[in-house]
Amino acid sequence: MIVLKATQDKLLSVLQSVSGIVERRHTLPVLANVLIRKSGRAVQMTTSDLEIQIRTTADLDGDAGDFTTTIGARKLIDILRTMPGDQTVSLESSQAKVILKGGKSRFTLQTLPAEDFPLVQEAASFGPKFSVPQKTLKALMGQVSFAMAVHDIRYYLNGILFVAEGNKLSLVATDGHRLAYASATLDTEVPSKQEVILPRKTVLELQRLLSDAEGAIEMQFANNQARVSFDGMEFVTKLVEGKFPDYNRVIPKGHRNNLTLGRQALLQCLQRTAILTSDKFKGVRLNLDPGTLRVASTNAEQEEAMDELDIDYGGDSIEIGFNVTYIIDVLSNMDQDMVRIDLADANSSALITIPDNDSFKYVVMPMRI
């Protein structure tokens, strides 16, 4: 039976859309596979890692009838990548194996029973459905995701806080040393306040899959699960349980010293001085005086870097230290020409924003150098 028949680029695109969560090595071998369900011309592909499940349906040629199996996802993708994009490929079932054919190439692949594939147990009831423009969600995630924690013992920091209330959508991420906040105004109002923590892996996968297209992404939340649908795909993910820190208390207000300067000039200055920072601490010193910003770094080999920028500043003289990576991260993920920095003193956190725009805020703690 010919399970499916399509051009290489079409089949590869469908497979890649669901395979991002598949691990090459897994305690459960079947989780390295993609579940393929054929019903007429419609072929549904599903992958899972027990906490996230991605499903998509594509219209692919093949014999009439129903068929279900699971095949190694990465192996299938690796083989397809070696074939020309316009070549027609087919997948045929043969006892407990499948045969992938393309041109004069033929690959016989092992399968595992579909009934062994552990689908994610979906919540009995989800909250109201609401939609967000893909472009908006992708942009907001790009503005905050770099500040997520990685394997932090405070598990609620290993993800993004998602808050939708009224016609406002806000995303917040923090690792305890820095915090990024971004918000946008939606065209329609959300039925009721939605506040959840999306896991880090889910965020990274959504960033990979979301496009800058105008299409909407439909979302629904249950107590411990989210269901997301867009572009013919359905994404079910476990949520992070726990209490996210009160970000409004962390964002400083009323810092009396502020300066506005070119983002690119500051980024390049920091990238230069970062070369001679200590690998362990990545610390740089910022000396702020009226009209001048000096950036300096040293390392264990007693090497030194010093750079200077002329700035429009008339506030207090301040010497403050930062982990340079935290500031490079935020400047690299912004696309505005100018940035504003608010400071109080050497011991208080700094606030980085976009001039005359309160939709983005980035807070970074100082460090002793």
Side-chain angles (χ1 to χ4, degrees):
M1 178 186 189
I2 297 176
V3 181
L4 58 87
K5 194 173 187 178
T7 56
Q8 179 268 7
D9 53 0
K10 184 173 183 180
L11 181 54
L12 184 59
S13 171
V14 174
L15 271 166
Q16 285 177 324
S17 68
V18 297
S19 65
I21 59 170
V22 177
E23 311 285 352
R24 280 191 186 271
R25 292 185 181 83
H26 219 291
T27 47
L28 215 55
V30 74
L31 288 177
N33 287 13
V34 55
L35 171 64
I36 298 177
R37 285 187 194 279
K38 172 184 169 58
S39 179
R41 282 174 59 96
V43 178
Q44 187 186 75
M45 298 194 184
T46 308
T47 56
S48 168
D49 69 354
L50 297 180
E51 295 194 346
I52 304 171
Q53 178 176 291
I54 306 177
R55 177 179 288 147
T56 190
T57 303
D59 197 15
L60 303 171
D61 284 334
D63 291 342
D66 299 346
F67 180 77
T68 309
T69 191
T70 78
I71 316 167
R74 298 286 182 191
K75 209 173 282 180
L76 209 49
I77 286 172
D78 289 347
I79 293 169
L80 286 169
R81 277 189 181 136
T82 65
M83 296 177 169
D86 57 355
Q87 186 173 79
T88 299
V89 294
S90 65
L91 203 63
E92 299 177 16
S93 66
S94 173
Q95 293 161 341
K97 294 185 170 74
V98 292
I99 300 163
L100 177 66
K101 292 179 180 176
K104 293 184 178 179
S105 306
R106 177 189 169 104
F107 303 86
T108 304
L109 301 169
Q110 191 64 257
T111 63
L112 288 171
E115 52 269 24
D116 293 349
F117 193 87
L119 295 167
V120 168
Q121 185 69 41
E122 293 191 34
S125 63
F126 281 85
K129 190 180 283 188
F130 63 97
S131 65
V132 177
Q134 276 198 57
K135 196 174 181 178
T136 302
L137 185 59
K138 183 172 184 176
L140 291 181
M141 283 182 165
Q143 287 178 289
V144 303
S145 60
F146 60 87
M148 290 186 292
V150 184
H151 304 309
D152 198 294
I153 193 167
R154 297 162 295 179
Y155 53 90
Y156 48 84
L157 299 185
N158 301 318
I160 279 180
L161 178 68
F162 180 106
V163 185
E165 186 173 16
N167 65 344
K168 187 177 180 183
L169 174 62
S170 305
L171 267 59
V172 189
T174 179
D175 62 5
H177 303 288
R178 42 122 172 235
L179 178 144
Y181 162 93
S183 67
T185 303
L186 303 174
D187 294 334
T188 55
E189 294 220 349
V190 176
S192 57
K193 185 179 180 183
Q194 309 287 331
E195 186 170 330
V196 299
I197 305 172
L198 295 172
R200 178 185 175 83
K201 187 173 180 180
T202 298
V203 171
L204 297 177
E205 193 58 22
L206 281 173
Q207 281 186 285
R208 186 180 77 85
L209 294 171
L210 290 173
S211 70
D212 290 322
E214 294 300 326
I217 172 169
E218 291 197 328
M219 310 188 85
Q220 278 181 291
F221 299 126
N223 286 336
N224 62 346
Q225 242 178 25
R227 185 160 61 203
V228 178
S229 305
F230 59 98
D231 295 346
M233 296 180 64
E234 187 185 80
F235 197 106
V236 177
T237 175
K238 196 174 175 182
L239 296 171
V240 179
E241 295 179 30
K243 181 75 176 137
F244 200 85
D246 182 356
Y247 59 92
N248 285 312
R249 288 180 55 190
V250 175
I251 298 170
K253 296 169 183 68
H255 278 358
R256 64 182 180 276
N257 300 297
N258 58 73
L259 65 150
T260 300
L261 71 168
R263 179 185 66 87
Q264 199 62 37
L266 178 59
L267 176 59
Q268 289 170 350
C269 173
L270 291 168
Q271 286 170 331
R272 286 192 291 269
T273 48
I275 295 166
L276 295 187
T277 54
S278 155
D279 286 343
K280 193 172 180 183
F281 297 112
K282 289 289 179 190
V284 294
R285 279 192 322 280
L286 272 62
N287 284 81
L288 204 54
D289 290 305
T292 307
L293 170 65
R294 282 186 298 280
V295 182
S297 65
T298 58
N299 60 24
E301 285 79 48
Q302 296 184 328
E303 296 169 322
E304 294 179 20
M306 174 80 73
D307 214 325
E308 195 171 297
L309 293 173
D310 295 328
I311 54 169
D312 181 11
Y313 175 73
D316 303 339
S317 292
I318 298 172
E319 180 176 332
I320 188 168
F322 290 109
N323 180 323
V324 71
T325 308
Y326 294 164
I327 305 190
I328 286 175
D329 278 350
V330 66
L331 296 176
S332 301
N333 283 280
M334 296 169 76
D335 54 13
Q336 288 76 17
D337 293 334
M338 306 296 285
V339 294
R340 173 178 162 137
I341 303 175
D342 289 52
L343 296 160
D345 51 50
N347 302 311
S348 303
S349 56
L351 174 65
I352 298 176
T353 54
I354 302 162
D356 305 317
N357 185 336
D358 63 358
S359 69
F360 176 78
K361 296 181 175 75
Y362 183 74
V363 183
V364 57
M365 300 287 289
M367 67 183 288
R368 294 185 186 277
I369 298 174

